[in-house]
Amino acid sequence: MKSNQELIEAATAARENAHAPFSHFKVGAALLTTGDEIVTGCNVENASYGLTLCAERVAIFKAISENKKDFTKICVVADTDALTPPCGACRQIIWEFCGDVEVLMANLHGEGETFQMSELLPKAFDAKFLK
Ligand code: THU
């Protein structure tokens, strides 16, 4: 089982690929599969700002495109003192594709903290309502 440190290192490396010419706010994500593989992502911004994709969603969509569908943890790394949490849109996507996984938030100073998705998105809307 990959360690939190390995996940943080993978997300930190992916963060270097961030395409963030507008916000200059670089984010990296690392998704851990049940098969103990890591899939990374970085934020990719667009001049039409609303088309920006966050690092977490890039990692998840990349994993899905590689037929990896079961996850245990997602790590988010940004260069902030207060640990950067996933945005609201990403919380919905993480819930939909990953369920109640652990979310490890970390910064570049070696600080990190883990939350459950159900803490970050209580009373989530999901497919079970669409019956
Ligand atoms: N961003 C992420 O990639 N993930 C987060 O958890 C928070 C925000 C990105 C989106 C945008 O490119 C930049 O950070 C500033 O909002």
Side-chain angles (χ1 to χ4, degrees), residues 29 31 39-42 51-69 71 74 89-90 92-94 96-98:
L31 189 58
V39 182
T40 59
C42 62
L51 299 184
T52 291
L53 275 185
C54 292
E56 299 90 321
R57 276 177 283 161
V58 169
I60 291 168
F61 296 155
K62 207 168 124 187
I64 296 294
S65 77
E66 294 171 4
N67 200 32
K68 292 166 186 159
K69 296 176 179 166
F71 312 105
I74 185 165
C90 286
Q92 182 69 25
I93 297 289
I94 295 169
E96 177 119 357
F97 289 100
C98 309

Side-chain angles (χ1 to χ4, degrees), residues 20 23 25 27 43 45 52-56 76 84-87 90:
S23 72
F25 188 78
V27 185
N43 51 330
E45 297 187 347
T52 291
L53 275 185
C54 292
E56 299 90 321
V76 187
T84 296
C87 77
C90 286

